[in-house]
Structure formats: C-alpha cells, structure tokens
Amino acid sequence: MVEASAAAPLIDEGRADGVFGQPDFSSGDPPVTVSQFTTTHPTFVATDTSYRSSSYVLVADREAHRALLLSVASGTWGFSGLYGQSSVNGSLPNQGLPQPAQLTLHTPMAAAFATSIAEVPGTLNWVAVADTANHRVLVSNNFGGGWSPTMLVGQDGDFTTAIPSKGGVTASSLDQPSGVAFDPNVLPARLYVSDTGHHRILRFDAVSSPKPSASVVFGQPSFVASDPNGGEPGPNARGLSSPGGIYGWFLTTNLGDPLRGLWVADTGNHRVIHVANSGVADFVLGQPDLTSNKPNAFGASARSLRGPSAVTVDPVGNVWVADTGNHRVLRFKKGATTADAVLGQPDFSTVSPPTTTSARTLYLPSGVAVNGNGDVYVADTGASRVLRFSVDCAKPGACDDGDPCTDDFCDPTYRCYHSLSTFSKECAPYTCTIAQRRCAGSCDTTHPCSPGNTCVGARCLRLCAADAQCPSKHCADGVCCDSACTGVCESCRLFGREGTCTAVPAGSVPTDPKSCPGGATGCSHACNGVDRDRCQNDPAASTCGVSSCKDGVETPLGKCDGLGTCVTAPKSCAPYACTAAACRGRCDFDHDCVAGARCVDGACVTTRPAGGGCGLAPAGQASAVLGLLAALGSLGLARRRR
C-alpha cells in the first residue's frame, strides 16, 4: 500500500492518497505473481461503516477468484484475511477443482459485511460473497475467525454444483449474482442479492436455513419471472435490467428519511434507483425519468451515467456511483440529481478512458464504498488496484459522520477520526444510547447525565450558584436556566420543565421564593398561571380556605372579598361536638356532645331529666328499658291487689 505524503484536500481535488494492489500510483498492469498485496481486476469493495479508529475493507478480487480482507489503522494498510483460495499465491477458479466446494470461489463480483450496531464497532459479524460464476452467494457469520461459509444461497443448498437457475427460476435460484447487501438492523442475516441474470433483487430473511428462499422480489412481478424490466417493453419504476451493485442505507439514525432503503445500480438501464419498501422505484439518477434508459442521457455531464455498476451512500446521505462506462465515480448530494464531485476525470464533461495511470485517473471502476470516516474506496478494475480518497478534514464540518454518538476531530495529518462515546458532545447533557445511535431524551438510573450535570425530574440539568457557571449565563433557582427567570410568577424548577423558565401553575404553592404568598388556601397575591411578572388577587365570591371543625367550632369554606382577603364565618356547634369538617346535628352517644352535655333521645342536652340513669346505653335503648320496667311494675301491682 502506497500512502501519499501531502496533507491537503483530496476528495475535492479528485486525488487518491493511497493505493493497494500496485507498488505506486503510475502502475496499472495485472500482477505477474499473485500475493496478499496484489489485486487482479478487482470488481467490488465494501467497508465497515462503523469505522472509528480502524477500518476494514473487503475486496472482491475477481480474476484471482478470491476475496481479500484488508485492515486500515492510522493510515497503515495490512492484510487480514483470505477467502476462496487456500494460499495467498493461489489464483485458479475453485482452487483448481473440477467442481466448486464450500470454501472456493469462481469470479466473485461483490462482497458485503455487516457489523451489528449493538456490538462493539469493528467487530465483524456477517460476510457474504457473490460467487458469480458459481451462481451462488456464500454467507458466513464467523468473519473474524476466518472463512467458514456455512450458509449458501442458490444451488438448492448444494456446495458442489454451479448450475445457473438450478431447479428453474424460483425464489431460491440464482443466475450470475453480482451484488449483495446486508440490513444491519435485522441481524442475523437479512440479505439482499442482485440476481443479475434474472434481472431482479431478492430479499432473504433467513439465510441460516439449509435452503434459503427469498421472501420479497424487486424487479419482477413474481418469483418465476426473469425477463428484463419485468417483461415490459421498456424501463419502468418496477423493472430492472442486469442490475449490478446494491447498497442498503439502513442506519438507525435515518429512520424517517424518505431515501432510507435499498439503492440499486441498474446497469442495463444506465441508471441508479432508490427502491422503496413497496418495491417501486421513487428516485432516479442518470435519467430524466423512470421510463428512460439512454446511456449518457444528458450528454457528457454531471447528470449522466453509462453502465453504472456500483452504488453506495455515505454517513450523511450523499450517493456515490461507480460510473463504469465513463471511467469515473460521481458524488450526488443527498436528494440531488446533479453530481457535485467527480473522481477519475478532470471535469464532468470528460468521459473517455485515461491515457496514463495516476492518482487522479480511473479505468472501468466497478466498485465504490465509503467508511464511517467518510473516506472513499474505489475498485479501479482496469488498473488492478484499489484507491483511497481521504476526507479533507481541514474544512469545517468535513469530519461529521452523521453519528450523534461520536466526537469527530481532525488530527495533525489531516485525517478524520471519530471517538465513540456514551457521553458524546452532541448528546450532552444527556447520554448516547449506543445500540440505537441516538441521544437519550431523558435521564434515569439506566441513562445517567453526562459529567457535570445532574438528573432532576428526568431532565439533565447543570446545578449552579452563579450565572457564570452556566453556558446560558443564567442561573435561576439553583439550576442553569434558559433565561434570567426573574418574574414573580415564574420558576426554572417546575417538575417536567426544569431548566426552562415557566409560569407557575394557577393556585400552586411552588417552592420558588419569588412566588406570590397565599397560594391555594388564600385570596391574596395568587399566581394565575399566565402572568409571569405580577400576582393577581382571586375574584370576589370565589371560595377560599379549607372547611374544618375543631373543639366545637366549625369553620366553613370562606369567600374572597376581591381585595386579597378570605372572609370566613366560624360558628359554635354547642351542645353538639364536631365531625371531621362540620358540626353534628344529632347524637347517639354522650361523646357526640360537647363537655357538660348528655345525649338523650338523640339530642344533646346540658341538664339531666328527673330519674335519668347513669348508664352509657344509647338514648333510644334507655327509653325502651324504662318503658318495660314501668309495664312490669304495673303488672306486679295488679297481681297483689288480687
């Protein structure tokens, strides 16, 4: 790998700063001897989009019938893995065997890998290689442990056959697949395959099954159709013609983005399309509409394409296209249909092949990838090399990788780096939820606040004692506030609104010392929940106070006089005692009466009737007993008289 020494704008200059597969930037012939440091007409590159301090680059080395795993750390390239050959010097199809085997490759055209975003970035989980001439895709979930593809798409689950459309055109057969892409949010293993010979894209939701079958087809009306453009006479929003490279822009940071989804290099139609979940294209590059397929439809310009074979999307949504027939790579800003940057040509109007090989030329490029750092890797097929174009991090915002969980910075050698952090600057004062790549919107024991902040009512706030301690320069009620918050009826510490100056609710009694006295139980100087700079008296005749009864005195709800005073009219309950909030109106026991009064026949009296007993029975029962005794006495008296 050759590294450029100059530290200057590179992507915007259109100049590569690194080359793999050749000893220098001026060499472009296929290698005489194959090794771990050479490539022979590479057709595809894939990168680790979770790149932080190191990066992996996977190369489909077509004419050497293998895939190479390269690692890049601090600008230094290294060989990390070999797939499809038993030796780094081997270059025969299927390792020279008469039939394919589990570990062999024949003319691989594409490769992809996926890192589960919930795991440590740089940990490789899944890899897929489009084994084009064997009409199959090999899949492994043991990427870091070596090439061990235990899953097979196509060939009816048989690792030893290489039959195009084996078993007919079905949901599980393939013909010259030349593109693969993972959806990292649906691991394990939602895989998209560009089934070029059948003019379609297949989605497999369970590649771990012995004989995977696609669940969705794009480009054809059914799983048994295989004509170009879905059998229609020309291009359309539902059809494809010899599709090549594909890329799934499925980051969780763009869940609501209309351009989130599958991007397809529709090679035979000279266009790149975005396919929505419905399977219908809703955006096109290279053509004026979805029913045109003319090569270089706009002439030699920033809008035209000719036989594009690869597409990718960078972290901020820019679309990069390997415009193979025009010997260039184009960058389209997110949502734009006119390119704003070109690699491989001196300008947008030049589309001829290069006469010499250099750091600024490309010859039939057929692969493009962008890592999480923003660096662009190109499979320069005709020159048997892979080029790297680095981000110009000297430009403001150039290092932004679109990930809120990373702190982006530019080092002294003008290289962008991204530090993955739970306490990223963008998420402060909250933390970042690494698995979802989102800033937390509240705090609790699971999601603490970033250093220097505290969790108050589920909100992260910076406590303060002076204005100078706050970024806003406003310290109010002991917390950093969005304003000075000096009104008599406003507070910066109301629950659920901490840190935001808010009018205190009507009738509340907040702890804020600026609040009006009186509150819910008085009429004087109560905040009305609207005005922040003054207090307001309750209107006349509105109720105030709290009804109560104690020590034989009842105090009912009062009435405000409109001047701030709550007018009440206490009254004595004597001879009755109190309930919890009012005077009693009758009695059952003596203790229902005030001291010095007795309960007689349901009424409290202050003097005892003649002959009254001393018992504690209820008044009603005492009267009945006296009546019974009187009756018995009369009966006895009558008997004696006889």
Side-chain angles (χ1 to χ4, degrees), residues 21-54:
Q22 297 289 0
D24 51 51
F25 287 107
S26 60
S27 300
D29 294 329
V32 176
T33 302
V34 173
S35 74
Q36 69 266 42
F37 302 113
T38 67
T39 57
T40 309
H41 301 306
T43 53
F44 203 84
V45 285
T47 60
D48 179 9
T49 55
S50 66
Y51 169 82
R52 296 297 171 256
S53 59
S54 64

Side-chain angles (χ1 to χ4, degrees), residues 94-185:
N94 290 321
Q95 299 182 17
L97 299 173
Q99 297 292 330
Q102 185 174 359
L103 303 179
T104 69
L105 295 171
H106 190 340
T107 317
M109 294 286 287
F113 57 74
T115 299
S116 172
I117 60 174
E119 298 188 16
V120 177
T123 303
L124 304 174
N125 304 108
W126 292 82
V127 62
V129 178
D131 191 10
T132 306
N134 283 329
H135 309 286
R136 65 184 187 177
V137 172
L138 299 177
V139 183
S140 172
N141 65 346
N142 189 28
F143 198 58
W147 178 236
S148 58
T150 56
M151 290 160 279
L152 174 65
V153 178
Q155 299 306 313
D156 201 24
D158 189 346
F159 282 100
T160 64
T161 61
I163 303 171
S165 306
K166 185 177 180 180
V169 181
T170 68
S172 58
S173 65
L174 299 175
D175 183 7
Q176 303 176 72
S178 60
V180 285
F182 282 106
D183 182 348
N185 300 301

Side-chain angles (χ1 to χ4, degrees), residues 7 31 60 136 154 184 204 232 243-244 297 307 332 356 380 393 416 496 503 523 546-547 637:
R136 65 184 187 177
F204 296 85
E232 297 294 326
F332 296 84
T356 60
D380 190 14
C393 72
C416 287
C523 301
V546 178
S547 60
L637 180 61

